[in-house]
Amino acid sequence: MINIDLSQVHHLAADLRAVEHRVVPAVEAEVARGALRVEGSSKVGVPVDTGHLANSITTDVDGLSYEVGPEANYGGYVEEGTSGPYPIGNAFGWGITVWHPGISPQPYMGPAFDQDLPRTERGILRAAADRTLG
């Protein structure tokens, strides 16, 4: 028979619960900082025609998660592109159909997130360690 002593794991869990009130707010603050950096980078990297797409990029932070993205309904098409050709009915209000060639992807959200992820991860680890060990 094998006996495994998990008492140290239980002690660690109790220690972590004891510092949770210090760790969680610090980690949430790092998540929020990362979200705002992603928003800023995506606004810099977004293709600009009228500026509407860039101006529609917003951030919603909820504790340990966040959502950053455009409110403009065409933001995903710019990010991912469209396949073509595809028909556009009643083009120009003339009752004719034209064929749109599609657009190439112009990623701006993905690169902003990918660029910031390591920095946010380091910030979260540092904040958790400082509030747990320090």
Side-chain angles (χ1 to χ4, degrees):
M1 177 178 6
I2 298 174
N3 289 325
I4 300 173
D5 180 9
L6 296 177
S7 61
Q8 294 303 314
V9 173
H10 294 294
H11 289 299
L12 174 61
D15 289 344
L16 291 174
R17 280 191 296 276
V19 297
E20 179 180 10
H21 69 282
R22 292 190 322 243
V23 172
V24 171
V27 170
E28 287 177 342
E30 287 298 324
V31 169
R33 280 191 279 279
L36 293 174
R37 285 192 304 265
V38 169
E39 178 183 342
S41 294
S42 64
K43 286 182 175 183
V44 169
V46 68
V48 177
D49 185 12
T50 65
H52 176 69
L53 183 56
N55 290 332
S56 79
I57 297 172
T58 61
T59 298
D60 181 29
V61 180
D62 184 16
L64 298 174
S65 65
Y66 68 82
E67 184 175 311
V68 178
E71 293 180 358
N73 62 352
Y74 58 90
Y77 299 123
V78 174
E79 176 85 10
E80 298 175 6
T82 62
S83 61
Y86 58 89
I88 300 175
N90 196 22
F92 311 109
W94 297 341
I96 60 171
T97 298
V98 297
W99 287 87
H100 191 285
I103 60 172
S104 299
Q106 300 175 71
Y108 57 98
M109 292 303 310
F113 176 78
D114 291 344
Q115 175 186 350
D116 186 71
L117 183 59
R119 182 175 177 183
T120 297
E121 287 174 336
R122 285 191 307 273
I124 288 170
L125 291 174
R126 187 179 333 102
D130 288 351
R131 300 319 184 283
T132 304
L133 306 173

